[in-house]
Amino acid sequence: MTWLSTEYNRKYLAVALPAAFEGIFMTVLQAADLVMVGALGSTAIAAVSIFMPLRLVLLTFARSLASSFTILTAGKYGAGDVAGIKALLRQSLTITLLVMGLLHIGFFCFFEELVLLMGAKADYVQLAVDYGLIATIAVYISCLSLAVQAIQLGIGHTSVIMKSNVAGNIVNICCNFVLITGLGSFPGLGVRGAAIGTVIGSLVTLGITLWIMGKNQYFNHGLWQLPDLKIWREFKPVFAGIFSEMGAERIGMVIYARITADLGTLAFAVHSICYNISDFGFDFIFGFAKANMVLAGQACGRQDYAEWRRFRRIGLQWGAILATIFGLVIHIFWEEIFTLYNKDPQALALSYTVMLMVAWHFYLTSQTLVTGSILRGSGKTTIVAVVSFVLITILRPMMTATAVYYLDWGIVGVWVAICLDQIMRSACFTYFLYQIKRLPEVVLKA
């Protein structure tokens, strides 16, 4: 594998590895909550987990904004427009502050109704409210961090993002250790403690992120700036495609999560644990996919299709390697991994088949992530949005409902639906990627 030692592979890994480890540490944040809350029982796990789809709804808006900022930054960086990047950073913070502030106020006003809409059961609905109202504050803080880190990602400074998030995660885990179960004379706060720890960790990440950008002279004209007409015209079409994709994905995921909640408290807790375990592999591979999006955007900014093609090949190769590694680890050590979260014999027995499906769905996931990210970075956000709408918003909920309500496959049926969705998305994205390969001039004008 001589490609491992090439200059392009080294450049790719310089962007991908920090982004991948940053993704792992973000998953550790959620895993730390679940593992420590797991000591409080399955109802506490369900209470924390029921908030996750609501959190992802909020993050859909924030990540759509952030992905748009990243794609614009990558193009400007490839073209050498440093002043444009600085202006975009200030404007991105202003847009995120205002838009996400309004959305979070709405969530606060109707939070209990939203939790009930997501299918929370009577035995943990109050716990879900106790956790979620505080955790929503952490989401808002994270949205601001995402806006700044989107600019860093577009430049390729993924190691900076990793350091900021590692620091925030360490603080969060330390706070969880004290706040959830208590220490000495300090009483444990249960799920409220987990939420407070998340808020503190999020503040640390935001503070470090802003400090680093200020130190590098990106705020020498202030923190905020209203969007100007030039950047607004660049931003609108990119955001429209990204938001359509993520919005479609989130609608489908919310419906899917609502159906999953009907499996019952134990099954929902097991599903949440398995999903969190899969997130470790997903987020690590997604770091490599982010590198493909950034490097594809930079190559388009430089009008260098040969470079774009090399990074595409490298990304697909690394996706297959990582899928094999994660699949083997989870397949061999599934029991040891699951019992880190929950030692209930009933939960362990229920998890066996699902954990094996978690192990081997990474081949599909890696293909979907890498190909989809290359399409986004190359300006093909509309294609990704249409495919996501059809498959995630419409077909995945239909397949999940069929498996759960009509075929009575339970939690296994939920994961069958996930795998079928990944098969179809990876096939569609790969097809369109090969279309671009035959039509490079379209990519460069995207």
Side-chain angles (χ1 to χ4, degrees):
M1 295 195 297
T2 56
W3 62 273
L4 285 171
S5 60
T6 64
E7 178 187 349
Y8 286 101
N9 190 63
R10 289 194 296 272
K11 182 178 180 181
Y12 179 81
L13 291 178
V15 179
L17 283 175
F21 282 112
E22 178 260 335
I24 284 288
F25 281 108
M26 291 302 289
T27 308
V28 167
L29 174 64
Q30 297 179 32
D33 283 346
L34 281 178
V35 170
M36 295 183 186
V37 168
L40 304 176
S42 294
T43 55
I45 294 176
V48 172
S49 300
I50 203 73
F51 174 71
M52 295 307 169
L54 296 175
R55 174 179 177 271
L56 290 174
V57 168
L58 288 170
L59 288 178
T60 295
F61 291 89
R63 286 172 176 166
S64 298
L65 292 170
S67 294
S68 304
F69 300 146
T70 295
I71 291 171
L72 292 177
T73 301
K76 292 178 184 298
Y77 185 78
D81 185 6
V82 177
I85 293 173
K86 291 183 178 182
L88 178 61
L89 172 60
R90 296 192 300 274
Q91 294 179 38
S92 69
L93 267 174
T94 303
I95 293 171
T96 304
L97 184 76
L98 296 175
V99 172
M100 298 312 302
L102 292 173
L103 288 171
H104 279 75
I105 290 171
F107 262 63
F108 267 109
C109 293
F110 301 100
F111 191 80
E112 185 170 353
E113 289 82 357
L114 289 170
V115 168
L116 290 170
L117 182 65
M118 289 308 304
K121 306 305 179 186
D123 55 345
Y124 64 84
V125 65
Q126 188 56 51
L127 285 175
V129 172
D130 292 342
Y131 174 83
L133 285 175
I134 300 172
T136 302
I137 299 171
V139 177
Y140 183 60
I141 298 168
S142 296
C143 292
L144 299 177
S145 297
L146 278 171
V148 182
Q149 291 176 353
I151 307 299
Q152 295 172 328
L153 177 60
I155 297 169
H157 291 170
T158 50
S159 62
V160 173
I161 301 173
M162 182 187 72
K163 292 172 184 176
S164 303
N165 285 318
V166 167
N169 274 279
I170 291 173
V171 170
N172 177 219
I173 291 170
C174 292
C175 291
N176 279 349
F177 181 77
V178 175
L179 295 173
I180 292 176
T181 57
L183 183 66
S185 60
F186 183 84
L189 300 177
V191 293
R192 286 194 185 95
I196 294 170
T198 304
V199 171
I200 296 171
S202 300
L203 281 171
V204 170
T205 296
L206 176 61
I208 295 174
T209 302
L210 291 174
W211 176 77
I212 290 173
M213 293 299 277
K215 183 181 177 182
N216 291 329
Q217 306 298 312
Y218 279 91
F219 290 124
N220 50 5
H221 294 293
L223 278 173
W224 323 105
Q225 179 183 333
L226 291 175
D228 60 43
L229 189 58
K230 178 179 180 295
I231 288 182
W232 183 249
R233 284 174 178 167
E234 295 174 344
F235 171 77
K236 282 194 299 182
V238 178
F239 176 76
I242 293 288
F243 181 69
S244 298
E245 174 204 344
M246 291 193 175
E249 179 180 345
R250 200 48 49 212
I251 292 170
M253 292 297 289
V254 168
I255 298 171
Y256 159 83
R258 177 64 182 82
I259 296 170
T260 306
D262 284 342
L263 294 172
T265 301
L266 179 63
F268 183 58
V270 169
H271 167 73
S272 300
I273 291 170
C274 292
Y275 209 90
N276 185 257
I277 292 169
S278 75
D279 278 346
F280 278 95
F282 179 96
D283 289 339
F284 194 85
I285 296 171
F286 190 46
F288 282 69
K290 284 181 180 178
N292 274 109
M293 182 177 73
V294 171
L295 294 170
Q298 292 180 1
C300 288
R302 283 190 287 269
Q303 302 287 287
D304 190 343
Y305 177 70
E307 181 180 274
W308 180 91
R309 189 174 61 245
R310 288 190 184 98
F311 285 129
R312 179 198 57 198
R313 184 179 68 252
I314 291 171
L316 291 171
Q317 289 169 332
W318 272 111
I321 291 170
L322 294 172
T324 301
I325 293 171
F326 281 111
L328 285 172
V329 169
I330 294 177
H331 185 97
I332 295 170
F333 301 106
W334 73 271
E335 186 172 348
E336 291 82 357
I337 293 171
F338 187 88
T339 52
L340 288 173
Y341 292 80
N342 194 323
K343 294 180 174 58
D344 183 346
Q346 286 184 295
L348 182 62
L350 191 59
S351 71
Y352 172 69
T353 303
V354 174
M355 286 293 286
L356 296 184
M357 296 178 74
V358 168
W360 298 113
H361 87 298
F362 284 119
Y363 282 108
L364 302 170
T365 299
S366 66
Q367 183 78 3
T368 301
L369 289 176
V370 172
T371 52
S373 292
I374 297 171
L375 288 170
R376 292 185 200 97
S378 304
K380 302 300 179 182
T381 55
T382 301
I383 290 173
V384 182
V386 171
V387 172
S388 298
F389 174 76
V390 173
L391 295 180
I392 303 177
T393 308
I394 300 174
L395 290 183
R396 185 194 274 199
M398 289 175 60
M399 290 186 294
T400 306
T402 300
V404 172
Y405 298 136
Y406 295 100
L407 299 177
D408 198 24
W409 288 355
I411 191 172
V412 173
V414 170
W415 281 85
V416 168
I418 291 176
C419 291
L420 290 174
D421 165 49
Q422 293 284 5
I423 288 171
M424 290 184 282
R425 266 194 293 162
S426 63
C428 290
F429 291 162
T430 301
Y431 170 77
F432 287 115
L433 199 62
Y434 276 93
Q435 290 292 101
I436 290 176
K437 181 180 180 181
R438 293 194 293 269
L439 299 170
E441 67 276 8
V442 176
V443 177
L444 300 177
K445 294 176 182 177

